[in-house]
Amino acid sequence: MYKAVISGFGAFLPDHQVTNADLENLVLLPDDWIVSRTGIKERRVTNDSEATSDLAYQAALEAVHHAGITPFEIDMILVATETPDHILPGVACLIQHRLGCRKVSAMDIHSTCVGFLSALQVAEQYIKSGTHKHVLVIGADTLTKLTDYTDPYTSILFGDGAGAIVLSRGEEADSKGIISTVLHSDGEDFEALFVPGGGGRYPAIEGLKAKMVMDGSKIFKAAVKSMTSGAEEVLFISGYRKEEVDWFIPHQANERIIDAVARNLSFPEEKIVKTVRYLGNSCSATIPISLHQAVKDGRIQRGDTILMTAFGAGLIWGAALIQY
């Protein structure tokens, strides 16, 4: 059996930055209040002509180049997203065509903010089995297009972006690669964070907007509890101690959530990768974007052990332990 190793990474962010000051007249919440509750000062936002596939394509190009392969060598494309360009087809098919890949399998993963970890787990199975050599995994979202800017408490949270990795076949004896992943779901509280209108149940009912609705208090508590338990579980099944982890990359939903999970796990501030302050919550893109930034600026080095954990609507949560 083979090992799944990260051979390349990439990320792409829209140029347009929206600060708390830009939102103040719209949401009637001052900068200091937003920062104290969320840790967010600004976020990247797509313009009307930009869609999820545009961001995903640019991130994929960088990841493929960094991996030292050509698009023709890719065996599968997985795109984690909640904001596809169209209801159908999936973003992954658009990426396959734009990259000029062979007619390989390409599919979207609909797993909210845990989407990247879900796609990572799926890709690992194909690599380990030996059927695929290179799998392109992308987390990309344009959540600002689902944001209700008449709701001050959700409109301050979200941003747009894309991150990508190439997962490649390594030898089983190689220390680098994915060590363990865990994923869980509990649909009982799915209405704590959902989009009421626009789907198959209520495709065009007046008064049901295709915008996010969130119970912030319930989501905060569930996120802290589940991200903590997911991280603890993946460490336990891997046989690793927290002290052996070099870097902690949590889903960037809210800085207060990140800090609470880190306290529960006893991770020091200097081991935590945070991007939420200047990028906001970009759903499935937050973890690969954070990984990209920490590798590019030299914090994460080859051989480092990285713990990732995420929580999202569904409710879904999971974690991964990898050696980069």
Side-chain angles (χ1 to χ4, degrees), residues 137-156:
V137 179
I138 305 169
D141 270 300
T142 51
L143 279 186
T144 61
K145 297 181 186 295
L146 296 182
T147 297
D148 180 2
Y149 284 96
T150 67
D151 178 358
Y153 300 108
T154 59
S155 59
I156 59 177

Side-chain angles (χ1 to χ4, degrees), residues 20-315:
N20 292 344
D22 295 328
L23 288 175
E24 190 166 348
N25 290 333
L26 185 65
V27 302
L28 304 179
L29 294 172
D31 172 74
D32 58 352
W33 189 95
I34 296 173
V35 173
S36 68
R37 295 301 183 95
T38 70
I40 300 169
K41 290 191 69 69
E42 59 188 57
R43 64 288 290 151
R44 297 295 184 93
V45 176
T46 48
N47 60 42
D48 291 341
S49 66
E50 291 176 308
T52 296
S53 68
D54 299 316
L55 278 56
Y57 171 67
Q58 295 297 334
L61 277 179
E62 183 181 1
V64 171
H65 175 75
H66 184 250
I69 64 172
T70 68
F72 196 78
E73 295 175 83
I74 295 169
D75 300 306
M76 171 182 270
I77 301 170
L78 300 173
V79 177
T81 186
E82 295 306 301
T83 51
D85 295 23
H86 312 281
I87 294 295
L88 57 89
V91 174
C93 290
L94 303 178
I95 300 303
Q96 179 270 334
H97 173 68
R98 290 182 69 174
L99 284 176
C101 302
R102 293 172 290 125
K103 292 179 173 59
V104 297
S105 58
M107 66 187 84
D108 286 7
I109 300 234
H110 186 53
S111 195
T112 63
C113 297
V114 190
F116 177 76
L117 296 185
S118 299
L120 194 70
Q121 188 183 74
V122 172
E124 182 195 13
Q125 307 313 308
Y126 283 94
I127 296 291
K128 285 171 66 175
S129 70
T131 61
H132 292 357
K133 190 174 182 180
H134 302 290
V135 179
L136 176 61
V137 179
I138 305 169
D141 270 300
T142 51
L143 279 186
T144 61
K145 297 181 186 295
L146 296 182
T147 297
D148 180 2
Y149 284 96
T150 67
D151 178 358
Y153 300 108
T154 59
S155 59
I156 59 177
L157 298 174
F158 300 106
D160 303 329
I165 64 167
V166 174
L167 206 61
S168 297
R169 184 190 300 170
E171 295 303 319
E172 189 174 13
D174 193 342
S175 62
K176 295 189 294 294
I178 297 176
I179 299 166
S180 292
T181 60
V182 296
L183 293 171
H184 297 287
S185 66
D186 181 356
E188 182 178 359
D189 288 322
F190 83 96
E191 289 184 337
L193 177 53
F194 78 125
V195 177
R201 184 171 294 278
Y202 303 113
I205 304 297
E206 188 172 350
L208 280 178
K209 297 179 290 187
K211 302 292 183 182
M212 284 181 286
V213 175
M214 182 175 70
D215 181 335
S217 176
K218 183 174 285 188
I219 288 295
F220 184 96
K221 293 173 184 175
V224 172
K225 180 180 178 180
S226 61
M227 286 172 67
T228 300
S229 66
E232 290 174 335
E233 181 184 3
V234 81
L235 287 170
F236 176 77
I237 65 176
S238 304
Y240 274 67
R241 294 176 292 106
K242 287 178 284 190
E243 293 76 18
E244 296 177 278
V245 175
D246 297 299
W247 294 100
F248 178 46
I249 305 182
H251 169 53
Q252 308 287 309
N254 176 311
E255 192 167 46
R256 288 173 64 219
I257 292 175
I258 294 171
D259 291 344
V261 174
R263 283 195 301 272
N264 288 346
L265 296 171
S266 300
F267 271 107
E269 180 73 19
E270 61 270 17
K271 283 190 171 187
I272 306 169
V273 178
K274 293 183 183 180
T275 56
V276 67
R277 180 159 295 245
Y278 297 106
L279 300 181
N281 177 358
S282 55
C283 197
S284 63
T286 69
I287 287 179
I289 287 173
S290 299
L291 172 65
H292 176 270
Q293 288 202 358
V295 173
K296 292 286 281 188
D297 66 24
R299 279 177 289 172
I300 293 179
Q301 301 286 325
R302 275 294 184 188
D304 284 354
T305 300
I306 306 164
L307 175 63
M308 305 170 177
T309 186
F311 166 87
L315 301 174

